[in-house]
Amino acid sequence: MTSEHADDARELQEPQASRIALTWNGEPGRQEELTHGMLLDQAVRAAAALSRLGVRAGDRVAVHLPLVPESVIATLACGRLDAIRTTLPVSLTVPELVARTQESSARVLITADAAFWDGAVRPVKALLDHALARGAASGGVRDRKVLVVNRCSRPVSWKPGRDQWWHEALGMPTVPC
């Protein structure tokens, strides 16, 4: 850890560590609060997980998440590694996702199993899976890793060797829906 990061950690360990840094309100009536200390801890864990997956300074990490705390954590983790976060909005269609994933050249993607919006559960990972399959079929990057955030506890397709649960990669318990 650099001295700059050590100074940041010391600052957060004091009174700021227990102060709320992020409040997230989701559907249906779900709320999560993360303190500065919790946010820093998860960002450090996420950076370590990305590093284990081969992410280095200057690499791109594609983030295909709804507006959830893990999106902020992924951003902070990329910043710790000097990696470039590329946003893949969850509203993109499969053809748009194919183009954006190919343009990004990201070898690590972060997505969610599903998401709540407009009062319904919508697939998120399933769309990314289709886009990655189409992209690979047309000669796109094949050797990708996908970290999957468990947001809705729904059955999700899984590609062994490629897909990994976010909470397992970070060494954390799952978040109940």
Side-chain angles (χ1 to χ4, degrees), residues 11-22 33-39:
E11 276 184 356
L12 288 174
Q13 288 171 358
E14 296 182 14
Q16 295 293 338
S18 61
R19 292 184 61 192
I20 300 298
L22 177 71
E33 291 185 335
L34 294 173
T35 64
H36 287 274
M38 293 165 69
L39 199 55

Coordinates of all heavy atoms in Angstrom, one line a residue, residues 11-22 33-39:
E11 N -7.3 8.1 7.8 CA -8.3 9.1 7.9 C -9.7 8.5 8.1 O -10.5 8.9 8.9 CB -8.4 10.0 6.7 CG -7.4 11.2 6.7 CD -7.6 12.1 5.5 OE1 -8.4 11.8 4.6 OE2 -6.9 13.1 5.5
L12 N -9.9 7.4 7.3 CA -11.2 6.8 7.4 C -11.4 5.9 8.6 O -12.5 5.6 9.0 CB -11.5 5.9 6.1 CG -11.7 6.7 4.9 CD1 -11.8 5.8 3.7 CD2 -13.0 7.6 5.0
Q13 N -10.3 5.5 9.2 CA -10.4 4.6 10.4 C -10.9 5.5 11.6 O -11.3 4.9 12.6 CB -9.1 3.9 10.7 CG -8.8 2.8 9.7 CD -7.4 2.3 9.9 OE1 -6.7 2.7 10.7 NE2 -7.1 1.3 9.1
E14 N -10.7 6.7 11.6 CA -11.0 7.6 12.7 C -12.5 7.9 12.6 O -13.3 7.0 12.2 CB -10.1 8.8 12.7 CG -8.7 8.2 12.9 CD -7.6 9.3 13.0 OE1 -8.0 10.5 13.2 OE2 -6.5 8.9 13.0
P15 N -13.0 9.0 13.0 CA -14.4 9.3 13.1 C -15.2 9.1 11.8 O -16.4 8.7 11.8 CB -14.5 10.7 13.6 CG -13.2 11.1 14.1 CD -12.2 10.2 13.5
Q16 N -14.6 9.4 10.7 CA -15.2 9.2 9.4 C -15.6 7.8 9.1 O -16.6 7.6 8.3 CB -14.4 9.8 8.3 CG -14.0 11.2 8.3 CD -15.3 12.1 8.1 OE1 -16.3 11.7 7.6 NE2 -15.2 13.3 8.6
A17 N -14.9 6.8 9.6 CA -15.1 5.4 9.2 C -16.6 5.0 9.5 O -17.1 4.2 8.8 CB -14.1 4.5 9.9
S18 N -17.1 5.5 10.6 CA -18.5 5.1 11.0 C -19.6 5.9 10.5 O -20.8 5.6 10.7 CB -18.5 5.0 12.5 OG -18.3 6.3 13.1
R19 N -19.2 7.0 9.8 CA -20.3 7.9 9.2 C -20.8 7.3 7.9 O -20.1 6.7 7.1 CB -19.7 9.3 8.9 CG -19.3 10.0 10.3 CD -18.9 11.3 10.1 NE -19.9 12.1 9.4 CZ -19.7 13.3 8.9 NH1 -18.5 13.9 9.0 NH2 -20.7 14.0 8.4
I20 N -22.1 7.5 7.6 CA -22.7 7.0 6.4 C -22.2 7.7 5.2 O -22.2 9.0 5.2 CB -24.3 7.2 6.5 CG1 -24.9 6.4 7.7 CG2 -24.9 6.7 5.2 CD1 -24.7 4.9 7.7
A21 N -21.7 7.0 4.3 CA -21.1 7.5 3.0 C -22.1 7.4 1.9 O -22.1 8.2 0.9 CB -19.8 6.8 2.7
L22 N -22.9 6.3 1.9 CA -23.8 6.0 0.8 C -25.1 5.4 1.3 O -25.1 4.5 2.1 CB -23.1 5.0 -0.1 CG -23.9 4.5 -1.3 CD1 -24.0 5.6 -2.4 CD2 -23.2 3.3 -1.9
E33 N -27.3 1.0 3.5 CA -26.4 2.1 3.9 C -25.0 1.6 4.1 O -24.9 0.5 4.7 CB -26.9 2.8 5.3 CG -28.2 3.5 5.1 CD -28.6 4.3 6.4 OE1 -28.1 3.9 7.5 OE2 -29.3 5.3 6.3
L34 N -24.1 2.3 3.6 CA -22.7 1.9 3.7 C -21.9 3.0 4.4 O -22.1 4.2 4.0 CB -22.0 1.6 2.4 CG -22.5 0.4 1.6 CD1 -21.9 0.3 0.2 CD2 -22.2 -0.9 2.4
T35 N -21.1 2.7 5.4 CA -20.3 3.7 6.1 C -19.1 3.9 5.2 O -18.8 3.2 4.3 CB -19.9 3.3 7.5 OG1 -19.1 2.1 7.3 CG2 -21.1 3.0 8.4
H36 N -18.3 5.0 5.5 CA -17.1 5.2 4.8 C -16.1 4.0 5.0 O -15.5 3.6 4.0 CB -16.3 6.5 5.4 CG -17.0 7.7 5.0 ND1 -16.7 8.4 3.8 CD2 -17.9 8.5 5.6 CE1 -17.4 9.5 3.7 NE2 -18.2 9.6 4.8
G37 N -16.1 3.4 6.2 CA -15.2 2.3 6.4 C -15.7 1.1 5.6 O -14.8 0.3 5.0
M38 N -17.0 0.8 5.5 CA -17.5 -0.3 4.7 C -17.2 -0.1 3.3 O -16.8 -1.0 2.6 CB -19.0 -0.4 5.0 CG -19.4 -0.9 6.4 SD -21.1 -0.6 6.8 CE -21.9 -1.8 5.7
L39 N -17.4 1.1 2.8 CA -17.2 1.4 1.4 C -15.7 1.2 1.0 O -15.4 0.6 0.0 CB -17.6 2.9 1.1 CG -17.9 3.3 -0.3 CD1 -18.9 2.4 -1.0 CD2 -18.4 4.7 -0.4

